[in-house]
Every structure is written in structure tokens, then in C-alpha cells.
């Protein structure tokens, strides 16, 4: 029976990269892995301390999280995103954002006949979530041109993974208004919102976007990149209580709870802005070095005004580019992982140490 579920899914994309990873790893000076985008810098001390202080946690945590965690999330959403009148009913901790993306259509009760839409170039797990629920899915360039019939879930992603494109406040406002007119639920993946370089990303939770109402709108946020907590599996939702309430009940039954030490760590992380600024500075410096090196090597970079990636092309097959860079010991992600429209691009992550970034720059 499990094979019947796995048969619904595409080949796991990263498996296709393994031969190129072996080639890159054979470089005399070692591999520079700019593919997956996993954080490499230390977890800030204050977060580690909070985790350690909560290590003696023998009891079960709650799915909804501690009151302190909910306070931290509501406070951050108001302080950082400009949201207003956010209560505990407006927030829900999740076990990292990927599990939510993969299982959301199922938890919403979607199935055959229902439609899920996401950007033409997008995180592959949006499609996986639709497939797991047996829902239909489609991609878009402009969501307001979609046929709203049977469209139950609309994914936004700004800043975008993989392109780094940022939707303007006007674009977000128009999309939210369109979705409400047609009764379409909007989930906005904003996990890279604090990593804007040439643009200032805006949340769908901002009152200028949603008109002061969270009806039909939910934002997804993660601490993986902004606080180096990918290993902690720490993320949360914020938005419409009419959506989050039923999700909370479902997730209680499913035991989808964040560990108690992780909850304490998130409280510390959301209460401190200093470590976020310091990490931004690290990524900004790496971005400048890699961007300049890629441009001088004959690449063109599109969008990339935010997030942790450079969306680069030499106007050739992405796999040709991957192979050429792998021969130089540099591993990047092929653009077609994110949709057919990316077949001539590669995604270059900024998540490598300063030493490895310098190595990549020298090789280029």
C-alpha cells in the first residue's frame, strides 16, 4: 500500500544530482556545495542556551505550543511584519515549513476535483503536497488569470525560491483581493522575507495588503535561514483563525508537535534581532562575491533581489552548466528542479562558509 502513495510522487530531484556531487567532491581543493542551501554558520549562542536550559523536558509538548511561544510569534509578527491585532488564535507552530507544505492539501481535506496552484518556478514540495492529496495542480505566472473554479488553495512565494523575485505590495494586494472575491484560500510562503537585498519584501499580513482582515489569508514563516535553525525544525503559521483552528485540531490528532526545547529556542530567536542582522551581513558579503564572480564568468543573473540564491544562466541547458561547474568543484542546483521554465538556469546558494565562497570565486 505504501508503494501506491510513493507512486504518486515524482523522482526525488536531489537524487539526480548525485553523480555531479561526486565529480565536484573529487576536486583537489574539495567541493564547494552551493546546491541545497542548508545553513552552515553556527546557531547563535543565546538560542543554544535556551535549548539547553529546556533540555529537561520529560513531558509531552503541546501542538499549539507554550503561551510563551505564542506570545513570541504574535509579538514578532506585529513588530517585524506590521500585522495588527494578532492573538494566539492567529498563530500555529509547525514542525519546519516543509512538512506543512507537503501535507497542507491533505489536512485541508482536498482531493480529486480540487485544484492547487503555485508559481511556474517554485519549490517542488508545492506539487508534492497536491499529489499526496490526489488534488489537481497547475502553475501560473499571474494568479489572477487563473480560472477560480474548484481552485481551493493558492500558493504565493515571495521572496521566491528559486528566483529571488519579490512581489510588490500592489501585486500582493491585488492577488489577495482577487482570491477573496472567488473564495480561494491564500497561503503565502514568506520564509525568506528577512533576506531582501534590492527590494523590501512585504507580508500578506500587512494591513495595506489585506485591508486589516486576515480572512482567507495565512503566512508561512521559518527560522531555518534567518536564525540558522534548519536542524531544529522550527516554523509557524500566522493568519486566519478560521483556517488555523481546524488545522490545530487535525495536527493534535496527528501528533505534529514541536519539541519543548525547540519551542524554547524559538522564543529566544524571535526575541532577538541582533543575530538576524549579523547573519544578513554574512550573506550579503557572500552574495556580492559570488554575484561578481558569476557575472565575470559570463553568467546573467535574473531577479535575485532577495532570498539566499542567485538565479543565474549562460543560456544553455542547466545540466550543461551543472556539469561544467562540477568539474571546477562547484555544485549548484539545476533550474529544472523548480519547473520546466528553469531549464536554462541554475540556482546558486549563498549558504557556504566564507572560505568555501572564496574558493568558488577563485575557481570562477
Amino acid at each position: 500500500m505504501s508503494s501506491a502513495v510513493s507512486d504518486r510522487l515524482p523522482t526525488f530531484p536531489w537524487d539526480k544530482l548525485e553523480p555531479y556531487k561526486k565529480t565536484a567532491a573529487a576536486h583537489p581543493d574539495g567541493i564547494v556545495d552551493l546546491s541545497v542551501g542548508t545553513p552552515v554558520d553556527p546557531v547563535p549562542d543565546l538560542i543554544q542556551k535556551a535549548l539547553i536550559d529546556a533540555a529537561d523536558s520529560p513531558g509531552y509538548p503541546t501542538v499549539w505550543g507554550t503561551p510563551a511561544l505564542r506570545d513570541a510569534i504574535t509579538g514578532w509578527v506585529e513588530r517585524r511584519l506590521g500585522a495588527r491585532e494578532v492573538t494566539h488564535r492567529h498563530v500555529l507552530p509547525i514542525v519546519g515549513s516543509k512538512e506543512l507544505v507537503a501535507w497542507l492539501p491533505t489536512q485541508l481535506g482536498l482531493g480529486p476535483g480540487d485544484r492547487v496552484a503555485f508559481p511556474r518556478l517554485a519549490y517542488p514540495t508545492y506539487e508534492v503536497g497536491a499529489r499526496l492529496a490526489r488534488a489537481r495542480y497547475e502553475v501560473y505566472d499571474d494568479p489572477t488569470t487563473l480560472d477560480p473554479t474548484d481552485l481551493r488553495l493558492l500558493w504565493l512565494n515571495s521572496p521566491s525560491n528559486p528566483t529571488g523575485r519579490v512581489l510588490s505590495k500592489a501585486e500582493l494586494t491585488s492577488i489577495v483581493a482577487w482570491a477573496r472575491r472567488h473564495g480561494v484560500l491564500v497561503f503565502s510562503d514568506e520564509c525568506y522575507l528577512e533576506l531582501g537585498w534590492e527590494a523590501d519584501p512585504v507580508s500578506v499580513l500587512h494591513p495595506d495588503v489585506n485591508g486589516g482582515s486576515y480572512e482567507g489569508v495565512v503566512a508561512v514563516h521559518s527560522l531555518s535561514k534567518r536564525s540558522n535553525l534548519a536542524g531544529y525544525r522550527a516554523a509557524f503559521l500566522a493568519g486566519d483563525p478560521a483556517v488555523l483552528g481546524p488545522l490545530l485540531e487535525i495536527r493534535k490528532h496527528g501528533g505534529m508537535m514541536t519539541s519543548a526545547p525547540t519551542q524554547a529556542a524559538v522564543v529566544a530567536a524571535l526575541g532577538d534581532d541582533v543575530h538576524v542582522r549579523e547573519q544578513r551581513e554574512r550573506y550579503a558579503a557572500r552574495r556580492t562575491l559570488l554575484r561578481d564572480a558569476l557575472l565575470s564568468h559570463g553568467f546573467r543573473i535574473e531577479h535575485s533581489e532577495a532570498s539566499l540564491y542567485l538565479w543565474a544562466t549562460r543560456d544553455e541547458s542547466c545540466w550543461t552548466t551543472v556539469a561544467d561547474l562540477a568539474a571546477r568543484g562547484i555544485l549548484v542546483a539545476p533550474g529544472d528542479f523548480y519547473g520546466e521554465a528553469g531549464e536554462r538556469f541554475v540556482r546558486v546558494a549563498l549558504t557556504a562558509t566564507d572560505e568555501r565562497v572564496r574558493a568558488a570565486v577563485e575557481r570562477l
Side-chain angles (χ1 to χ4, degrees), residues 17-18 20-35 325-326 328-332 352-353 355-357 359-360 363:
L17 204 56
E18 280 303 312
Y20 301 93
K21 187 173 184 178
K22 290 179 181 177
T23 298
H27 190 279
D29 185 38
I31 188 173
V32 179
D33 193 342
L34 306 177
S35 62
L325 292 178
R328 300 168 187 269
I330 302 169
L331 189 68
V332 298
T353 64
E355 183 274 330
R356 288 289 84 187
V357 167
R363 295 174 196 181

Side-chain angles (χ1 to χ4, degrees), residues 204-228:
V204 294
L205 302 181
H206 195 287
D208 289 353
V209 172
N210 60 41
S213 167
Y214 301 113
E215 179 187 357
V217 173
V218 178
V220 184
H221 282 271
S222 167
L223 286 85
S224 292
K225 304 303 196 296
R226 52 94 72 188
S227 297
N228 299 334

Side-chain angles (χ1 to χ4, degrees), residues 146-208:
L146 292 168
D147 178 356
T149 307
D150 299 322
L151 180 59
R152 299 284 303 282
L153 174 61
L154 174 64
W155 278 109
L156 304 182
N157 181 207
S158 176
S160 163
N161 173 17
T163 69
R165 181 189 173 200
V166 173
L167 294 174
S168 69
K169 184 183 290 185
E171 287 174 307
L172 288 170
T173 302
S174 173
I175 293 167
V176 168
W178 177 88
R180 283 176 171 164
R181 284 198 304 273
H182 297 289
V184 177
L185 176 61
V186 173
F187 262 70
S188 180
D189 181 345
E190 302 175 352
C191 290
Y192 296 92
L193 185 137
E194 293 195 282
L195 295 164
W197 312 116
E198 297 161 6
D200 188 13
V202 180
S203 171
V204 294
L205 302 181
H206 195 287
D208 289 353

Side-chain angles (χ1 to χ4, degrees), residues 1-2 7 10 17 31 52-53 57 65 75 78 87 108 128-129 161 163 169 177 185 218 248 265 289 301 322 330:
M1 293 179 66
S2 61
D7 287 348
L17 204 56
I31 188 173
I52 293 167
D53 289 347
S57 298
E78 292 191 341
T87 71
L108 290 173
V128 167
N161 173 17
T163 69
K169 184 183 290 185
L185 176 61
V218 178
L248 172 59
L289 289 172
I301 294 173
V322 167
I330 302 169

Side-chain angles (χ1 to χ4, degrees), residues 38-52:
T38 187
V40 297
D41 298 303
V43 174
D45 289 342
L46 83 162
I47 301 175
Q48 292 192 48
K49 183 178 186 303
L51 184 85
I52 293 167

